[in-house]
Amino acid sequence: MVRVGLTTERLVEAGAELADEVGFDQLTVSALARRFDVKVASLYSHLRNSHDLKTRIALLALEELADRGAASLAGRAGKDALSAFADVYRDYAREHPGRYAAAQYRLDPEAAAASAGGRHAQMTRAILRGYDLSEPDQTHAVRLLGSVFHGYVSLEMQGGFSHSAPDSQTSWSRIVDALDALLRNWPAP
C-alpha cells in the first residue's frame, strides 16, 4: 500500500477494515503497520498505542451505528421503529463484525462521554416513548433491548443458530414481536 498521506483518520478507518477482516481482538498496531508497509514507529505520530487505536475504532463504530439508527428511525414509531432499530444492530454486526465488536469495547469515562453512546440511549428511549413507559421501567427496558439485541447477534455470529430449524431470521422476527408485546404490556412493579 501507499505510504503517503498517513493520517489518524486514515489509520482508524484502515484499522476498522482490518478488524472486520481478522477480528477486533486480533487487531494490533503491528498488523496495521504491515497493511501500510511501514514500521510500527511511524504510526506512533498518529496513534499513542494499541488501546488508542481500539478506542478510536470503538468511537467510529458507535458513530456509524448511531447514524444508521437515526436514519432508520426517521418517521417510524411503535413496533415499526423497534424492528428497524433492532435490524440496524443485526445488519451492522453482519456487515462489520470487527467494528461491531469494537462498539462493545470498554471506554474510559471521558471517551464514553464524548462518544455516540448517548445517542444510542436517546434513540432507544425515543422508541420506548411509543410504549408509554415511565422511569424506572424505561431504564429497565433500555437494558432489556440492548441485552436481547446484543445477545442474539453475538450468538448468531458465532454460528449458534445455524444447526437447526427454523432459520435465524424467523426467530429474530418472533423475538422482535415478543419484545413489542412485552413493551405494550409491561408488568407493574
Side-chain angles (χ1 to χ4, degrees):
M1 288 204 149
V2 180
R3 292 183 188 197
V4 178
L6 286 183
T7 64
T8 302
E9 294 77 23
R10 188 165 176 221
L11 290 170
V12 170
E13 184 62 37
E17 291 169 8
L18 186 58
D20 286 339
E21 294 167 20
V22 302
F24 185 67
D25 290 340
Q26 303 305 314
L27 178 67
T28 64
V29 174
S30 297
L32 186 59
R34 283 191 299 276
R35 174 154 291 201
F36 284 96
D37 195 27
V38 298
K39 294 185 189 240
V40 172
S42 64
L43 299 187
Y44 288 126
S45 62
H46 304 285
L47 302 166
R48 288 188 304 273
N49 51 38
S50 184
H51 175 69
D52 182 39
L53 173 63
K54 288 186 171 191
T55 296
R56 290 173 185 273
I57 294 170
L59 294 172
L60 171 69
L62 288 168
E63 189 72 33
E64 289 175 347
L65 268 167
D67 290 346
R68 284 186 181 202
S72 76
L73 290 176
R76 297 177 191 239
K79 183 181 173 193
D80 189 34
L82 176 65
S83 180
F85 195 59
D87 287 344
V88 163
Y89 283 88
R90 187 171 181 229
D91 293 345
Y92 187 81
R94 289 171 154 183
E95 293 169 31
H96 300 291
R99 292 177 205 216
Y100 181 78
Q104 315 311 314
Y105 191 62
R106 186 178 184 102
L107 300 173
D108 64 58
E110 185 177 314
S115 78
R119 287 177 57 203
H120 293 266
Q122 289 172 346
M123 286 184 282
T124 306
R125 288 181 184 281
I127 292 166
L128 293 173
R129 280 194 291 275
Y131 292 98
D132 198 29
L133 296 178
S134 57
E135 285 299 342
D137 290 333
Q138 196 175 89
T139 296
H140 297 314
V142 167
R143 292 172 180 169
L144 171 71
L145 294 177
S147 298
V148 171
F149 297 161
H150 177 65
Y152 191 91
V153 166
S154 296
L155 289 168
E156 183 179 41
M157 289 175 57
Q158 294 171 9
F161 307 130
S162 61
H163 58 280
S164 63
D167 64 271
S168 63
Q169 178 58 46
T170 301
S171 294
W172 180 253
S173 297
R174 294 292 305 269
I175 287 167
V176 172
D177 290 346
L179 288 170
D180 175 64
L182 173 62
L183 293 170
R184 290 182 191 285
N185 300 293
W186 191 264

